[in-house]
């Protein structure tokens, strides 16, 4: 679902920072070789993630949902020199693809890949995070949020992707549509939870920025 016209989206990209060469190559190879390439953040959202990370200047970053590594590299652009990004994904077949592109970047040695269920991995990470990006299975968004908040530094930022879910959040809810049902609850939780302050941005498929109080 396009929330603005394709022409306007093109104009937005043309008047935002250029996509770095490394990420353009990753973008291209994802579309050539990987299933469901639309899951990739892409040029504009990637520049948004990069800008937010540069404003936050995080030391420790957590990403839930690596896919091919595009968003991880965008988030690394603002990471401090001694920073580390931990990224979690369940797809073993993508690990080597991710690592190939991570190692082409300046942050290869600062990116830690975790393979498995985030619900199991997050509790084992004895780390306080400055920046978290949630972009994984929607059914667990509420669970991820509850695991993450106690592990955030004060003033840390939680970014949640796909919160508009192609506009389904405005449509009549189908009884079997668990993802939309959870996202509706999740969006309401972020609005009402006293531990965070939140703004929902209509960027691409919806990006929520939540600051931990």
């Amino acid at each position: 679902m396009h929330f603005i016209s394709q022409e306007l989206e093109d104009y937005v990209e043309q008047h935002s920072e250029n996509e770095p060469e490394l990420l353009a190559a990753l973008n291209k190879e994802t579309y050539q070789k990987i299933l469901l390439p639309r899951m990739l953040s892409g040029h504009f959202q990637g520049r948004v993630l990069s800008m937010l990370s540069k404003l936050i200047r995080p030391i420790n970053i957590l990403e839930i949902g690596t896919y091919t590594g595009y968003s991880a590299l965008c988030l690394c652009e603002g990471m401090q020199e001694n920073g580390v990004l931990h990224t979690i994904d369940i797809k073993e077949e993508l690990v080597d693809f991710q690592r190939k592109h991570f190692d082409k970047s300046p942050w290869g040695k600062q990116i830690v890949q975790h393979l498995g269920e985030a619900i199991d991995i997050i509790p084992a990470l004895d780390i306080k995070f400055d920046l978290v990006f949630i972009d994984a299975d929607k059914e667990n968004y509420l669970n991820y949020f509850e695991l993450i908040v106690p592990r955030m530094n004060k003033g840390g930022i939680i970014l949640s992707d796909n919160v508009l879910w192609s506009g389904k959040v405005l449509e009549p809810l189908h009884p079997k549509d668990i993802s939309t049902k959870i996202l509706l609850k999740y969006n309401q939780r972020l609005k009402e939870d006293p531990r965070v302050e939140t703004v929902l941005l209509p960027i691409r498929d919806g990006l929520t920025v939540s600051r931990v109080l």
Side-chain angles (χ1 to χ4, degrees):
M1 179 177 182
H2 284 280
F3 299 110
I4 60 175
S5 70
Q6 186 61 57
E7 292 80 8
L8 205 50
E9 285 190 9
D10 292 342
Y11 182 87
V12 167
E13 283 197 7
Q14 291 162 9
H15 291 81
S16 298
E17 284 295 308
N18 293 333
E19 184 178 40
E21 190 173 312
L22 172 67
L23 290 174
L26 171 52
N27 193 334
K28 182 178 180 180
E29 189 171 353
T30 298
Y31 271 83
Q32 289 174 335
K33 299 179 179 179
I34 308 297
L35 291 173
L36 303 174
R38 288 184 68 252
M39 290 174 59
L40 186 133
S41 290
H43 175 190
F44 174 58
Q45 182 169 321
R47 291 306 85 206
V48 172
L49 296 177
S50 169
M51 181 67 77
L52 289 171
S53 184
K54 288 170 182 174
L55 291 170
I56 297 162
R57 297 291 292 145
I59 295 176
N60 290 314
I61 304 173
L62 173 64
E63 177 184 53
I64 306 173
T66 316
Y67 190 47
T68 56
Y70 190 100
S71 53
L73 291 172
C74 293
L75 295 169
C76 282
E77 291 180 30
M79 187 168 61
Q80 294 190 34
E81 287 185 8
N82 60 334
V84 177
L85 181 142
H86 293 263
T87 185
I88 305 171
D89 206 282
I90 61 171
K91 295 184 178 179
E92 186 174 0
E93 66 272 19
L94 292 179
V95 170
D96 290 342
F97 186 97
Q98 297 159 5
R99 177 48 59 186
K100 178 179 73 171
H101 290 279
F102 290 160
D103 287 344
K104 289 179 181 178
S105 79
W107 310 284
K109 294 181 180 179
Q110 295 168 267
I111 299 174
V112 180
Q113 294 164 281
H114 300 270
L115 179 64
E117 297 286 348
I119 290 292
D120 300 322
I121 292 169
I122 294 170
L125 298 176
D126 187 20
I127 302 166
K128 285 283 191 177
F129 293 100
D130 306 298
L131 176 60
V132 173
F133 182 43
I134 306 174
D135 186 16
D137 55 314
K138 312 312 163 194
E139 293 87 346
N140 271 311
Y141 265 37
L142 286 164
N143 295 326
Y144 296 148
F145 179 73
E146 290 302 327
L147 286 172
I148 287 165
V149 171
R151 292 171 171 79
M152 297 294 296
N153 285 317
K154 185 176 180 180
I157 299 295
I158 301 171
L159 304 173
S160 309
D161 200 16
N162 305 118
V163 291
L164 295 180
W165 208 222
S166 298
K168 291 180 182 178
V169 292
L170 295 179
E171 298 172 359
L173 182 63
H174 190 282
K176 294 183 179 180
D177 187 353
I178 304 302
S179 294
T180 302
K181 182 179 180 180
I182 295 298
L183 281 173
L184 288 167
K185 290 182 178 180
Y186 183 73
N187 290 340
Q188 195 64 34
R189 171 72 62 82
L190 294 186
K191 167 67 176 174
E192 296 175 351
D193 196 306
R195 296 172 294 177
V196 296
E197 56 180 352
T198 292
V199 60
L200 197 165
L201 305 175
I203 292 172
R204 204 163 176 243
D205 196 24
L207 180 70
T208 295
V209 181
S210 302
R211 177 176 174 269
V212 178
L213 301 175

